[in-house]
Amino acid sequence: MNEGLIVLVRGVIGFFTLLIFTRVLGKQQVSQLTFFDYVVGITIGSTASTLTTDLTSRAWPHWVGLFTWATLCLILQLITVKSKTAEEFLDGKPTIVITNGKILEQSMKTYRYTISDLLAQLRDKGIFDLDQIAYAVLEKDGTLSILKKTECDPVTPKDLNIKTTAASIDYEVIYDGSIIQKNLISINRNERWLINKLKKQSINDISEVFLAIYNANSGLHVDFYKDHIKEKNK
């Protein structure tokens, strides 16, 4: 058989095998990665790549390797659900790195977490003053969670006893020029209602609409393929 065809076939097999295993392992593998997830992801990906391109060996040992790693990972995930000790051993545990504006140097040294990394993550969360922080926790996936001091929290409508409407999520009712019927059903509306709403905005052709989103509070927001936005003179 032609080598190019062999690579094609093995590539398709490797791709769908990896896709299936990733789906089985769940969203944990594609979210913020812990060290364990990182190692497993690299190994499975490398094995799938070898399965595709290494024509000097048979395909089935690589497939067995993929199956073994995916199975072991799934077993360990199930164990960590039942055992907090196993979870902390594999994934680590959250660590407090700032208390009342004071950096805990020993905690940072334990996890080899640098000042530069800490300050960068604080800036990313819009915090430029350590005195605003009650607690900062380094999560097991490397992200930083912040609890501000109460006096530094923004004022909310609840604090001012202001009544607000209930929050509502957005529903895509038109996507890429096509009506999403199931979302219309979810909001107890129909296609006729949508067309009438569009006509009120002088839209007579659904194919002109790139995206239309409905929110119970703000109504229907429409975005066109061709947005007539005038560029400002430079």
Side-chain angles (χ1 to χ4, degrees), residues 72-107:
L72 288 174
C73 183
L74 181 60
I75 291 172
L76 288 173
Q77 283 182 351
L78 294 175
I79 291 174
T80 57
V81 169
K82 300 291 184 180
S83 171
K84 184 170 180 60
T85 302
E87 180 189 10
E88 290 182 355
F89 177 77
L90 289 172
D91 294 338
K93 59 182 179 180
T95 303
I96 297 175
V97 292
I98 296 178
T99 300
N100 291 322
K102 305 297 183 183
I103 298 175
L104 305 181
E105 294 85 358
Q106 191 57 46
S107 296

Side-chain angles (χ1 to χ4, degrees), residues 113 115-127 138 142-146:
Y113 186 53
I115 292 293
S116 296
D117 291 335
L118 174 63
L119 295 178
Q121 288 189 285
L122 289 174
R123 290 193 298 271
D124 185 58
K125 293 181 178 295
I127 297 176
L138 181 63
T143 58
L144 191 68
S145 299
I146 304 295

Side-chain angles (χ1 to χ4, degrees), residues 17-220:
T17 300
L18 191 59
L19 180 63
I20 292 169
F21 287 167
T22 304
R23 292 288 292 178
V24 170
L25 295 177
K27 292 184 178 180
Q28 185 177 359
Q29 283 293 318
V30 294
S31 61
Q32 293 285 345
L33 298 180
T34 63
F35 180 75
F36 173 71
D37 298 326
Y38 177 74
V39 171
V40 170
I42 286 181
T43 304
I44 291 179
S46 177
T47 305
S49 176
T50 304
L51 166 65
T52 303
T53 58
D54 185 4
L55 303 183
T56 61
S57 61
R58 289 176 291 179
W60 71 265
H62 301 296
W63 192 90
V64 171
L66 278 173
F67 179 79
T68 301
W69 271 82
T71 302
L72 288 174
C73 183
L74 181 60
I75 291 172
L76 288 173
Q77 283 182 351
L78 294 175
I79 291 174
T80 57
V81 169
K82 300 291 184 180
S83 171
K84 184 170 180 60
T85 302
E87 180 189 10
E88 290 182 355
F89 177 77
L90 289 172
D91 294 338
K93 59 182 179 180
T95 303
I96 297 175
V97 292
I98 296 178
T99 300
N100 291 322
K102 305 297 183 183
I103 298 175
L104 305 181
E105 294 85 358
Q106 191 57 46
S107 296
M108 296 186 61
K109 288 180 181 178
T110 301
Y111 288 89
R112 294 177 293 280
Y113 186 53
T114 68
I115 292 293
S116 296
D117 291 335
L118 174 63
L119 295 178
Q121 288 189 285
L122 289 174
R123 290 193 298 271
D124 185 58
K125 293 181 178 295
I127 297 176
F128 293 82
D129 185 355
L130 291 177
D131 287 332
Q132 295 181 3
I133 302 170
Y135 293 98
V137 180
L138 181 63
E139 303 292 354
K140 58 186 181 181
D141 62 0
T143 58
L144 191 68
S145 299
I146 304 295
L147 177 64
K148 287 186 177 182
K149 294 178 180 178
T150 53
E151 63 267 26
C152 297
D153 283 335
V155 177
T156 65
K158 183 178 179 180
D159 296 328
L160 301 176
N161 293 320
I162 298 174
K163 291 184 178 181
T164 59
T165 56
S168 176
I169 63 173
D170 291 341
Y171 289 88
E172 298 170 358
V173 291
I174 298 179
Y175 182 86
D176 198 16
S178 299
I179 296 175
I180 311 298
Q181 295 290 348
K182 64 178 182 179
N183 286 350
L184 283 176
I185 295 173
S186 297
I187 61 175
N188 296 318
R189 299 291 190 272
N190 55 37
E191 191 171 325
R192 184 167 188 164
W193 168 87
L194 178 60
I195 291 173
N196 288 334
K197 281 285 187 181
L198 293 174
K199 285 183 178 179
K200 289 181 179 179
Q201 298 188 34
S202 301
I203 305 168
N204 297 313
D205 189 351
I206 292 176
S207 63
E208 297 177 4
V209 179
F210 175 65
L211 179 68
I213 294 176
Y214 176 77
N215 185 287
N217 292 329
S218 58
L220 188 68

